[in-house]
Amino acid sequence: MAILLALWAASVAAQDVDIDALKFSASQGQRYDSNLFRRSTNARSETLSTTTVGLQLDKRYSLQRVELDVNLASNRYRSNDYLNFNAVNYRAVWHWSVTPRLRGSISRTRSDDINTFDYFRSFDRNVRTDIKTGATAVAVLGRDWLLLGGIERDERSNERPTAQSGDYTLRNISAGVRRVFPSGSRISYRVLDGQGDYFNRVPGVTATPTAYSQLEHEVQVSWSVTAKTTVSATLGYIDRKHRDLAVRDFSGLRGNLNVNWRATGKSGVQLTLARSISPYQTNTASYTVGNRISMYPYWSISSRAAVYASLDHLRYSFDGALPGVDNNAREDRTNIAGLGVRWEPFDALSLNAGVYRELRTSNLEGFGYSNTSAQFSAKFVF
């Protein structure tokens, strides 16, 4: 579908070139890590170079709108060149509309990335591909109420089997309702009924299910508290069950709360609280629960330059050990601090640079580490 959308968009663009709708981009980035493999001892430093070329299209045709964002990235490691990989990333969306009161979207996204080494305890290259295909429909009822519906398919594949984020396919059907207030604030509720399959299972792990069902309830809120403060939140409850292997079942809350305070016209801060729950199937765990608190202050020096900082605290627990297996009750805590600057010398060029310090502690020996990183990128859009 993404290819068809791309061909159709390109053919229309060729007939009616819109300089504001079609853009090309090229970027170059460098990232240095003092401890690439995130080891407690024998740290290895590394520099990653990423070259990206892209195409972006955003075009309206009457009530219809097409978005296309394609990026091809070459990732090259200076010392550990066996980790080199190429990525094909895209996002294609057709925002369809029969009338302004009956509308929706058809979309497909793809992203390629290497699994990082903080939780993937290996020196091997393991590139992950995520593909998401979906369709949504919105029907406007009266002035304030909307009915929501959708179908989606999530797919994940890895070069090598992993327990942390293994291969799967998840098919969801969703239905819900949204209320929009005159102030612009909104609240919505959805229920998602999903069926999934696991693939490429980890060797040597007992009780490995091949299929699951998942029921999720989700509430989303967007609230303009004042002219300077906005709040957005998502709260969901997930219940995942595994056929004939209830020992791997899990359920719990997930979501996030974001508070954005614009203190002045040039400065502000964003505070984020987040909770996740996801499968992690080994002999000593069935799932992980993550909690994160983050703060991102920023200051716009001018209309083209800004300075920003980041402070993150993360805590991950590993739960659901198999019966008869010694539960090591692993818990990791990570603190990350960063400082960065963004500068746009002119409209077509943006420059970004940042430095970060990361420290993780664990109740299990060998899982803690420290890392210092620095990155720089330049992006040109024409």
Side-chain angles (χ1 to χ4, degrees):
M1 185 186 69
I3 296 175
L4 291 176
L5 276 174
L7 292 175
W8 177 67
S11 66
V12 174
Q15 299 171 21
D16 180 18
V17 177
D18 186 342
I19 193 170
D20 295 321
L22 183 63
K23 297 182 183 299
F24 298 91
S25 63
S27 65
Q28 179 64 48
Q30 298 283 328
R31 178 185 173 93
Y32 167 81
D33 283 286
S34 65
N35 187 2
L36 174 68
F37 296 106
R38 304 303 195 263
R39 299 295 172 170
S40 57
T41 59
N42 301 320
R44 300 185 195 176
S45 63
E46 179 61 280
T47 300
L48 169 65
S49 175
T50 302
T51 304
T52 306
V53 294
L55 176 150
Q56 297 82 41
L57 175 71
D58 190 343
K59 183 72 174 178
R60 286 187 178 273
Y61 305 92
S62 185
L63 294 177
Q64 316 305 309
R65 180 187 175 195
V66 173
E67 291 183 273
L68 179 66
D69 190 346
V70 180
N71 290 283
L72 307 177
S74 170
N75 297 275
R76 297 293 180 264
Y77 292 81
R78 178 174 297 174
S79 301
N80 300 276
D81 58 3
Y82 72 94
L83 296 173
N84 294 348
F85 71 100
N86 298 320
V88 179
N89 305 312
Y90 61 74
R91 174 178 176 268
V93 187
W94 169 28
H95 300 275
W96 61 267
S97 180
V98 178
T99 73
R101 303 179 69 86
L102 180 60
R103 59 185 186 268
S105 66
I106 299 175
S107 63
R108 184 176 174 91
T109 62
R110 173 191 167 116
S111 65
D112 294 332
D113 204 355
I114 194 167
N115 287 318
T116 57
F117 301 98
D118 47 359
Y119 287 99
F120 296 82
R121 307 288 291 177
S122 169
F123 293 104
D124 297 326
R125 189 186 85 162
N126 195 354
V127 176
R128 179 185 70 250
T129 298
D130 290 302
I131 298 176
K132 184 173 184 177
T133 308
T136 64
V138 177
V140 181
L141 304 177
R143 184 183 63 178
D144 303 326
W145 290 93
L146 299 88
L147 288 180
L148 313 174
I151 56 174
E152 60 185 25
R153 178 186 174 93
D154 291 349
E155 304 170 69
R156 169 166 291 176
S157 59
N158 295 272
E159 283 186 310
R160 301 173 184 272
T162 68
Q164 296 89 334
S165 189
D167 297 9
Y168 69 86
T169 298
L170 175 61
R171 303 166 296 279
N172 267 319
I173 299 176
S174 64
V177 62
R178 178 182 298 149
R179 172 73 189 278
V180 179
F181 298 91
S183 64
S185 299
R186 60 184 61 191
I187 182 171
S188 63
Y189 164 78
R190 287 195 310 160
V191 58
L192 298 92
D193 188 6
Q195 300 292 325
D197 299 289
Y198 294 113
F199 304 98
N200 199 22
R201 309 302 284 152
V202 178
V205 176
T206 59
T208 53
T210 59
Y212 62 94
S213 62
Q214 180 170 294
L215 184 65
E216 183 173 3
H217 299 272
E218 179 187 82
V219 176
Q220 291 186 336
V221 176
S222 178
W223 178 27
S224 298
V225 182
T226 68
K228 292 186 175 182
T229 305
T230 58
V231 175
S232 62
T234 299
L235 180 64
Y237 183 85
I238 296 176
D239 186 7
R240 180 175 291 200
K241 297 185 180 301
H242 301 85
R243 194 180 311 149
D244 302 325
L245 279 172
V247 69
R248 292 298 191 182
D249 293 353
F250 65 85
S251 60
L253 295 172
R254 63 95 180 159
N256 59 75
L257 171 67
N258 301 290
V259 180
N260 191 359
W261 176 48
R262 296 178 294 277
T264 69
K266 291 187 174 183
S267 63
V269 62
Q270 178 178 319
L271 177 67
T272 298
L273 304 175
R275 177 183 172 88
S276 64
I277 182 169
S278 57
Y280 185 104
Q281 295 176 356
T282 65
N283 290 331
T284 58
S286 295
Y287 62 95
T288 63
V289 175
N291 293 282
R292 175 170 61 91
I293 180 170
S294 306
M295 185 171 64
Y296 308 109
Y298 60 88
W299 174 44
S300 297
I301 303 172
S302 68
S303 60
R304 293 190 176 276
V307 176
Y308 54 90
S310 61
L311 296 170
D312 298 88
H313 174 73
L314 303 90
R315 184 179 65 187
Y316 276 89
S317 60
F318 299 74
D319 303 318
L322 296 179
V325 175
D326 184 24
N327 184 3
N328 56 29
R330 178 183 166 188
E331 183 176 277
D332 298 341
R333 296 173 183 261
T334 306
N335 293 300
I336 308 172
L339 182 65
V341 60
R342 183 181 67 255
W343 180 40
E344 298 179 358
F346 49 91
D347 291 343
L349 179 63
S350 60
L351 306 174
N352 286 272
V355 292
Y356 303 89
R357 177 64 177 172
E358 180 178 0
L359 177 64
R360 187 172 83 181
T361 59
S362 177
N363 63 333
L364 298 185
E365 186 178 355
F367 287 89
Y369 65 82
S370 63
N371 179 62
T372 301
S373 61
Q375 61 184 29
F376 171 81
S377 65
K379 183 176 182 179
F380 188 70
V381 180
F382 53 97

